[in-house]
Amino acid sequence: MPKTLFEHLSPDTGAKRILALDGGGVKGILTLGMLKALEDELRRRAGESAFRLSDYYDLIGGTSTGAIISSGLALGLSVDELIELYARLGPEVFGRTAGDGVFLQSKFESKKLRRALSSVLSTKTLGSQDLKTGLAIHAKRIDTGSAWVVTNHPLGIFYDPPAGGGVFPNKRYRLVDLVLASAAAPTFFDEITIDIEFDEKRRPIQKGYFVDGAVSANNNPSMQLFMLALEPAYRFGWKGGEDNLMMTSCGTGARRPTVDGKAFQGLPPGLRGVHALRAMVYDTQIQGIMMMQAFSNPKKPWRVNSEVGDMNGVCVSGAPLLDYQRMDVMLDTKPRRKRASDPVPPITEMERLLGRELDAEVMEALDHMDNGKKANMDLLLEIGLAAGRSYVDATYPDPKFDLPEWRGT
């Protein structure tokens, strides 16, 4: 029988499991490919066809596209159901541009994304009884400069504050508003406005203006979720240690953003700012991986950079503070052949993972967060499935974190 929300969140019900999901636009379908491999393996262990990731993970948190997936999973949706959502969402939301995305108007319309998400989230709130497990959504409140992480933990200080204080309880925010706030990527979508304070007659007296959580340091939300689990102020009160706490952290496909230096100098200031912001998001993402690997001993460590490598065997805390595994794939590129006589580029790790070669143009387009074309979405899903299977097997997730009721199956 699935655990209750109380059993998922209580520090007294055994080891805890966290699922952390990065932002990355339509590349979220690559994440879903990895999660399908994960769900299939855990369903095999459970011996139950109705198994969902919300049965296993005690806290699922994400940013931007990761917030969309996290909310769906926490509501008990299967990975296949979310893949169907993304197959619709890609062409519906990103099929036609509404503006230039830099100077005049955001590139896409938020109302299309709202319409697509409403089919799943409807009018459910963060306090909804439909949430099967812990949920954390990350966004950036741009008017106050604060990074928001909202959870459905009933003991959270802002979850249900005393009446009369004017603060709107987190439990009453609609999931669709929170997810849209988390996914309001500058240049792609307009900021999201949410009423956050009310007077004694319940009239709104203050609004919050939100942009994508990636604009904070939480595009990779793993560090913040780790803090939720262990920092007493968040009220989770979970225990650290590699036998008490595990985290699966999923990316959306990685590629270091580069730009020709001379071309960069010739760009308008607005476009230079876009390039710099993208580089900052990548840097904070890698920093998060580096920190989490420094506190753990991953089975398959991620290569951070050419200086520290994959940090294999490095645990700066002495004893690991958790069982951590990063799951992702490098979205490699290769030079385009301009003439038939040009040398054939060597096969990339991504192509080796797929078992076939790809055109250079196809590979280049994979990292575009707004490439909702069906062929691109299908390929991202295929890459995610192949990447997931390279991490997940009978030994990962570590069987010591299997649910107690599985041990007899």
Side-chain angles (χ1 to χ4, degrees):
M1 183 175 178
K3 290 188 285 187
T4 64
L5 179 61
F6 173 83
E7 289 171 325
H8 276 297
L9 295 177
S10 172
D12 302 320
T13 53
K16 298 300 177 185
R17 307 154 191 86
I18 302 173
L19 181 60
L21 305 178
D22 288 14
V26 298
K27 296 193 301 171
I29 200 167
L30 186 152
T31 305
L32 287 167
M34 294 190 291
L35 290 178
K36 180 167 177 56
L38 184 63
E39 188 178 66
D40 287 347
E41 169 59 22
L42 292 174
R43 181 178 290 123
R44 181 193 68 78
R45 297 187 199 180
E48 177 55 63
S49 61
F51 170 83
R52 299 289 187 268
L53 289 177
S54 59
D55 300 332
Y56 181 79
Y57 287 98
D58 302 293
L59 175 61
I60 304 177
T63 302
S64 197
T65 199
I68 297 173
I69 298 171
S70 295
S71 298
L73 293 176
L75 285 168
L77 271 65
S78 69
V79 173
D80 281 340
E81 288 173 308
L82 286 166
I83 289 173
E84 290 178 11
L85 171 67
Y86 269 68
R88 300 193 309 269
L89 184 151
E92 286 179 9
V93 178
F94 297 97
R96 179 179 296 179
T97 59
D100 68 326
V102 181
F103 300 108
L104 301 177
Q105 186 178 343
S106 295
K107 200 171 182 182
F108 303 103
E109 295 179 282
S110 298
K111 65 181 180 182
K112 290 184 178 180
L113 182 57
R114 179 181 290 274
R115 187 164 54 242
L117 296 180
S118 293
S119 65
V120 172
L121 304 179
S122 63
T123 58
K124 295 180 178 69
T125 66
L126 191 63
S128 172
Q129 296 300 308
D130 293 325
L131 289 169
K132 314 297 184 186
T133 189
L135 172 65
I137 297 173
H138 303 78
K140 175 71 173 181
R141 187 174 168 191
I142 200 68
D143 55 314
T144 62
S146 55
W148 274 37
V149 53
V150 291
T151 78
N152 63 333
H153 198 301
L155 298 181
I157 189 171
F158 297 115
Y159 180 79
D160 190 16
V167 177
F168 195 64
N170 282 355
K171 71 176 187 178
R172 294 175 60 185
Y173 284 122
R174 291 193 300 173
L175 288 176
V176 69
D177 290 331
L178 294 174
V179 169
L180 283 169
S182 181
T187 76
F188 289 108
F189 297 105
D190 290 341
E191 71 281 355
I192 297 298
T193 306
I194 301 176
D195 293 327
I196 62 168
E197 287 194 28
F198 297 79
D199 64 18
E200 65 280 357
K201 294 184 178 180
R202 304 300 303 154
R203 293 175 299 197
I205 57 174
Q206 186 176 356
K207 297 181 181 295
Y209 300 83
F210 294 88
V211 296
D212 197 302
V215 179
S216 66
N218 294 327
N219 193 59
N220 170 0
S222 56
M223 277 295 295
Q224 179 60 60
L225 293 170
F226 182 58
M227 294 303 295
L228 280 178
L230 299 185
E231 164 55 51
Y234 291 117
R235 312 290 178 86
F236 279 72
W238 293 355
K239 298 175 183 176
E242 62 180 343
D243 295 327
N244 301 319
L245 185 65
M246 71 87 77
M247 179 186 290
T248 307
S249 171
C250 295
T252 60
R255 181 185 296 168
R256 181 185 292 179
T258 60
V259 61
D260 179 84
K262 289 185 177 179
F264 179 80
Q265 286 183 319
L267 292 174
L271 287 176
R272 276 183 275 165
V274 170
H275 279 288
L277 178 61
R278 190 176 179 207
M280 184 208 73
V281 170
Y282 176 83
D283 290 343
T284 60
Q285 200 158 299
I286 294 298
Q287 185 75 10
I289 298 170
M290 184 177 182
M291 292 300 295
M292 295 307 299
Q293 291 191 163
F295 296 144
S296 60
N297 187 24
K299 174 188 172 186
K300 189 175 180 180
W302 182 262
R303 185 179 182 276
V304 174
N305 57 39
S306 58
E307 185 171 8
V308 302
D310 64 10
M311 303 173 65
N312 190 22
V314 175
C315 181
V316 300
S317 56
L321 299 181
L322 78 165
D323 179 303
Y324 168 83
Q325 182 61 60
R326 176 68 171 180
M327 291 172 53
D328 206 354
V329 58
M330 291 300 300
L331 297 179
D332 302 308
T333 59
K334 61 184 180 184
R336 300 183 185 187
R337 297 179 66 195
K338 297 180 180 179
R339 296 178 296 274
S341 58
D342 288 344
V344 177
I347 190 168
T348 66
E349 287 297 322
M350 182 178 68
E351 291 172 309
R352 190 171 289 111
L353 194 67
L354 289 174
R356 70 177 192 279
E357 292 191 54
L358 300 172
D359 290 338
E361 293 84 356
V362 170
M363 295 172 70
E364 178 64 34
L366 284 170
D367 196 44
H368 298 171
M369 295 190 296
D370 58 345
N371 186 352
K373 295 178 180 177
K374 185 179 184 303
N376 184 68
M377 300 284 282
D378 289 346
L379 181 54
L380 285 169
L381 178 59
E382 183 185 358
I383 294 168
L385 280 164
R389 290 167 182 155
S390 73
Y391 286 97
V392 176
D393 55 26
T395 65
Y396 188 81
D398 194 313
K400 68 185 176 185
F401 289 101
D402 283 359
L403 300 183
E405 58 266 31
W406 297 357
R407 290 167 190 164
T409 61

